[in-house]
Amino acid sequence: PLCGGLVVSRRMLRERARPATASKNIFTLENPVYGKSWPPLEEIGDPITPVKCRDIMHHLKVMEIDRMRRHRPFPMPIIRPGDLVEVKYELSRSQQTFAVFQGFCVEVRNKWLNSAFVLKNTYDGVGVEQLIPRYSPRLLNVMVVRPLEPKVKRIDPRPMNRSHRYMWHNYKRGKYSKGRRFLWRFHTPQRPGILSLEPRIRRELAQLRLRYQMQRAEARLPPYIFPGPYHLTRRQTREIKAERYRRMLIYAWDERQIREQKKRRLHDKHRWGKYTIDKEPKTTALTDLPSYHPLMDNLPK
């Protein structure tokens, strides 16, 4: 019975399994007990998104621009390309040395805090260009010596073109042409001084047709439209030409659509990344940062 009691007690110990609590004492993010509740959302707020990062950088730039404007010892003039500008900037603050550079403005870069303008001059026959940051604390003075003369406004703001002589001639189109009998396509009345669009389209189609025929001949393919095993008649050649012309119109339309699609993609690609902020928000993205964020100690004063 003693042996039987030992067996029974041992079996009861094995049946009574206790859940282990050792995993709760590991305070790391890999532990799923604490990893699912960290970081606490009530302390850090919304997660950092690319849009929020962009807004943070924008507000930092705006604050830095405002600080540089307030600490600037001179009023910054409006600089346009072509102006003769003189810039006085410090070389060493400890030794109290400065330099003066005078040159013509050849480029103006408006890039928020990275705004700058490029001055160009020649010294001993060597061209020298200098990039002057607009919001640099080393600038002591910027002065426009001689601005570029403003463009004289034209009396008639319309641009000059090849039909300028016939701008105010009414009923000029076709007045001196072959008359109203359009015998052939090239007898369409053209406006004097202007190359009409129809011959240009016809030339493009002819070049396209010739190029396609040369490609087929180079690839050793049969002709564009198989004329049939019989002798060519005049009517058959006319029908073949008409079919070629119709198909070339379709192909020209397809090529034009492909070009427009490429232009649209390029335009979207250039437009990507631009953004506009209409007004300053009351609560900026900087105020929403938590207190332990590394940017909180490095904000511009």
Side-chain angles (χ1 to χ4, degrees):
L2 181 60
C3 183
L6 286 176
V7 170
V8 170
S9 63
R10 186 182 298 172
R11 193 172 65 182
M12 292 300 291
L13 282 173
R14 286 182 180 178
E15 283 182 356
R16 192 173 50 187
R18 296 181 180 178
T21 59
S23 63
K24 294 184 179 180
N25 299 329
I26 304 175
F27 301 98
T28 58
L29 290 180
E30 284 78 11
N31 188 2
V33 177
Y34 293 100
K36 64 182 180 181
S37 62
W38 185 265
L41 295 179
E42 62 272 3
E43 293 185 14
I44 65 169
D46 298 333
I48 293 292
T49 60
V51 177
K52 195 168 183 180
C53 294
R54 185 193 67 190
D55 292 345
I56 289 174
M57 292 305 300
H58 174 72
H59 296 315
L60 282 173
K61 288 182 180 179
V62 168
M63 292 171 64
E64 187 67 19
I65 285 173
D66 186 46
R67 188 174 71 88
M68 294 304 299
R69 278 177 180 163
R70 282 189 277 105
H71 289 283
R72 186 185 284 157
F74 63 93
M76 175 66 76
I78 298 176
I79 299 173
R80 298 184 181 89
D83 296 349
L84 182 61
V85 183
E86 182 178 316
V87 178
K88 181 180 178 183
Y89 58 96
E90 63 179 7
L91 295 175
S92 173
R93 185 166 294 183
S94 59
Q95 299 179 4
Q96 295 292 323
T97 56
F98 62 89
V100 178
F101 186 83
Q102 187 173 355
F104 288 95
C105 178
V106 295
E107 185 181 352
V108 175
R109 305 180 185 178
N110 295 320
K111 297 179 181 178
W112 292 96
L113 189 59
N114 300 326
S115 299
F117 52 93
V118 180
L119 301 183
K120 184 172 183 177
N121 206 338
T122 54
Y123 290 98
D124 295 332
V126 180
V128 178
E129 286 189 3
Q130 195 160 346
L131 180 70
I132 311 295
R134 183 181 290 270
Y135 299 105
S136 174
R138 294 172 55 194
L139 288 182
L140 299 178
N141 191 18
V142 176
M143 181 177 59
V144 177
V145 180
R146 187 173 70 247
L148 191 68
E149 286 81 5
K151 292 176 67 175
V152 180
K153 278 195 173 183
R154 295 176 54 189
I155 300 175
D156 189 3
R158 288 181 292 186
M160 291 274 280
N161 51 17
R162 294 172 60 187
S163 64
H164 185 74
R165 293 174 56 192
Y166 309 98
M167 193 83 78
W168 299 277
H169 291 195
N170 297 324
Y171 309 109
K172 192 77 175 180
R173 184 186 179 99
K175 189 173 180 182
Y176 302 109
S177 60
K178 295 291 183 181
R180 301 192 65 176
R181 293 174 290 114
F182 299 154
L183 304 177
W184 302 99
R185 286 177 299 179
F186 49 81
H187 281 168
T188 53
Q190 298 181 9
R191 192 170 180 179
I194 283 187
L195 188 63
S196 184
L197 197 61
E198 291 85 7
R200 183 178 176 184
I201 295 176
R202 201 176 308 121
R203 243 180 286 119
E204 285 183 5
L205 286 178
Q207 292 174 3
L208 196 64
R209 191 186 306 124
L210 182 62
R211 196 187 321 145
Y212 194 74
Q213 287 177 350
M214 291 170 64
Q215 287 177 356
R216 289 187 68 90
E218 189 178 2
R220 296 183 180 179
L221 291 174
Y224 185 49
I225 298 177
F226 184 63
Y230 309 106
H231 293 291
L232 294 180
T233 61
R234 192 167 183 182
R235 177 179 178 182
Q236 197 173 5
T237 54
R238 282 179 180 173
E239 288 175 356
I240 291 171
K241 285 184 179 179
E243 181 66 11
R244 272 188 190 168
Y245 191 75
R246 186 184 70 83
R247 292 196 186 184
M248 281 299 155
L249 277 173
I250 294 173
Y251 291 142
W253 168 260
D254 290 343
E255 283 198 355
R256 202 177 302 120
Q257 290 299 313
I258 291 172
R259 283 201 304 270
E260 290 295 324
Q261 193 175 5
K262 284 185 179 178
K263 284 184 182 177
R264 208 175 299 117
R265 285 179 185 168
L266 194 62
H267 178 68
D268 293 342
K269 178 183 175 184
H270 291 335
R271 198 180 56 184
W272 179 82
K274 293 185 181 178
Y275 58 93
T276 54
I277 296 180
D278 297 334
K279 59 181 181 180
E280 288 290 322
K282 294 181 180 177
T283 59
T284 63
L286 297 174
T287 57
D288 296 336
L289 289 174
S291 59
Y292 58 85
H293 200 276
L295 274 180
M296 289 302 292
D297 300 332
N298 302 326
L299 291 180
K301 301 295 185 290

